[in-house]
Amino acid sequence: MPESWVNSAERIGADLHLSLPAEKGGRQAALTHALREAVREGRLAPGTRLPPYRSLAADLAVARNTVASAYAELVAEGWLTARQGSGTRVAARATPPRPAQVTQRTQPPGPAHDLRQGQPDAASFPRTAWLAAGRRALVAAPNEAFGPGDPQGRIELRSALAEYLSRVRGVRTTPGRIVVCSGFAHALRLLYGGVGGRTRGLLRGPLAVESYGLPFHRDLLDAAGVRTVPLSIDEYGANTGELGSPKGLKGVLLTPAHQFPTGGPLHSARRAAAVDWARAHDALLVEDDYDGEFRYDREPVGAVQGLDPERVVYLGSVSKSLSPAIRLGWMVLPDHLVEPVLAVKGQREAWASALDQLTLAELVASGHYDRHVRRMRQRYRARRDQLSEALAAHAPHIGVTGVAAGLHAVLSLPAGTETATLRAAARQGLALDGLTGFRHPDATGPTADGLVVGYATPPEHAYGAALEALCGVLPPAGP
């Protein structure tokens, strides 16, 4: 039976598994063959330091002279080098043959100008503050933080979020009502199904949604077997008065702080109507507060959850305020849903990193999160103003809406020009989203051509050129 090299704690050099086939004419011959093959196959790279004679001999239960002789033979053959004070290493010229070509997944080249919605300026991530918060969090973390986690999330983060959401968004909650998740989509899967590839959710449909919204969210619900019913949209947000028409609705999904993507807050009367409907029909209102911190020309609009914490599920994340790379979000739940949601999440769910949770908790508790949001609010407002000024100067016939808050604007286009505009943009290397792509397939009424312009996406140095490219592809004014 071949014998394996199992690395000892005292061994110095590279970790490597070796098998010594018995048919190779003794221990020395077997070891020489195994080392030669490891170098030839590339498992021992040029320059790799091998273990001392004594350590390797102890690992393999062979005599020290056996290892010394094997090393000496390979040095003589040119596979290894030996130098006083440097130990025994794989020779630089012992380059293994090139492996067989394997098809690699390659990312297509990015656009020259990116004005797609849905992400913040990646270059503005607060690296220094995040790093400092992580260090402080690691120093203060109890030992149990490095063991199996709590599916509800770290208490440090839930406590920080409870204070922050109450102060900034008017959410009525305690840490016990908050469940930490990996973002909005994860929360939606926990509520309606599709967790881990299974269509097993807590809630059932049909579910009313806004007639314009993210297709990804509708696809997720559709995959979970949840039928979605569109509500019409106007300048006051979703028409929640339509909730009484479809029979059997179990809930409604809204973006009340800033309707996505058309913009504008849900009118106060419609907010109240949605909550009253949920109470009367034993239904739930799911609130997507995707960019509620970013408002510019109006007073802050609090969360609908504050009107009735037992009828509203409030969902948020840091994907817009910090970065989508930090997979952290939260669910503020009615008290009776906390345990059922945790049961769906399971004891071995792929939870958000405890270290990231502790870092975010420290960032929020220290006030650095507030400062970052205020700084980005000013920066994004300046970008929005720059967009408005560019359009006023070069395309005054193009209407702009949805700019009082959020990270994107909607540009109204002449009827029948959206597709041609997107094609022209693609030819210029300009990435844009068309408004009709967000329309619910079952929505009724006339369609509107437009562009959804994410003015937060480009880095600062590239924003001016992106606006110039945008103005260059917009359709001219009519006769």
Side-chain angles (χ1 to χ4, degrees), residues 22-373:
E23 65 272 13
K24 286 299 177 181
R27 294 296 185 89
Q28 179 182 327
L31 177 58
T32 303
H33 173 80
L35 287 169
R36 187 186 295 114
E37 289 302 304
V39 174
R40 181 182 288 120
E41 294 169 4
R43 291 185 290 123
L44 276 175
T48 300
R49 184 178 181 181
L50 298 183
Y53 305 154
R54 176 174 53 84
S55 298
L56 183 56
D59 285 336
L60 298 178
V62 299
R64 179 177 174 179
N65 288 341
T66 299
V67 177
S69 297
Y71 279 11
E73 182 175 343
L74 293 173
V75 169
E77 293 177 2
W79 293 99
L80 305 179
T81 62
R83 183 176 302 173
Q84 186 68 30
S86 182
T88 304
R89 296 180 181 271
V90 178
R93 61 181 175 275
T95 304
R98 296 180 63 183
Q101 186 173 1
V102 178
T103 302
Q104 298 288 334
R105 180 178 180 269
T106 58
Q107 292 287 346
H113 311 288
D114 194 349
L115 288 174
R116 289 172 292 190
Q117 63 76 37
Q119 56 184 319
D121 176 9
S124 297
F125 181 78
R127 303 184 190 206
T128 301
W130 182 264
L131 182 61
R135 286 177 177 147
R136 294 193 300 269
L138 281 173
V139 170
N143 291 336
E144 54 88 12
F146 302 95
D150 181 349
Q152 189 166 357
R154 294 293 308 177
I155 183 61
E156 297 90 341
L157 179 56
R158 291 188 284 115
S159 298
L161 286 173
E163 186 277 332
Y164 175 81
L165 295 174
S166 175
R167 171 170 51 85
V168 175
R169 304 296 300 124
V171 171
R172 294 161 56 190
T173 188
T174 63
R177 286 175 175 256
I178 297 176
V179 173
V180 176
C181 56
S182 298
F184 180 84
H186 184 205
L188 209 57
R189 288 187 176 100
L190 290 173
L191 291 172
Y192 289 99
V195 179
R198 304 182 300 274
T199 55
R200 177 178 66 92
L202 175 64
L203 306 179
R204 295 289 180 265
L207 180 72
V209 298
E210 297 160 334
S211 59
Y212 282 82
L214 271 179
F216 170 69
H217 293 163
R218 292 196 298 267
D219 292 344
L220 188 155
L221 292 165
D222 182 66
V226 177
R227 182 170 68 91
T228 56
V229 179
L231 303 175
S232 64
I233 299 290
D234 59 23
E235 65 269 28
Y236 301 111
N239 190 347
T240 54
E242 297 174 358
L243 287 169
S245 299
K247 301 300 181 183
L249 285 178
K250 302 297 183 183
V252 57
L253 170 61
L254 298 173
T255 54
H258 186 231
Q259 200 287 318
F260 181 86
T262 62
L266 185 63
H267 191 276
S268 59
R270 294 186 177 183
R271 289 169 165 244
V275 172
D276 289 343
W277 171 83
R279 290 169 177 166
H281 292 82
D282 192 26
L284 283 175
L285 192 159
V286 181
E287 180 173 10
D288 180 6
D289 196 27
Y290 67 100
D291 65 358
E293 292 104 336
F294 296 108
R295 76 277 178 185
Y296 313 117
D297 299 328
R298 60 170 168 79
E299 292 296 318
V301 178
V304 174
Q305 189 267 0
L307 299 177
D308 193 339
E310 294 304 320
R311 286 294 166 191
V312 181
V313 175
Y314 176 91
L315 307 180
S317 75
V318 296
S319 63
K320 303 296 187 295
S321 58
L322 284 175
S323 167
I326 302 175
R327 304 307 305 157
L328 280 179
W330 46 86
M331 313 170 70
V332 181
L333 297 164
D335 187 62
H336 68 280
L337 285 182
V338 174
E339 290 303 324
V341 164
L342 292 178
V344 171
K345 196 175 184 186
Q347 288 300 313
R348 293 299 175 190
E349 176 67 25
W351 303 323
S353 163
L355 300 184
D356 284 345
Q357 292 185 56
L358 290 170
T359 300
L360 180 59
E362 173 61 26
L363 197 72
V364 173
S366 66
H368 282 87
Y369 184 76
D370 285 80
R371 288 191 283 275
H372 172 73
V373 169

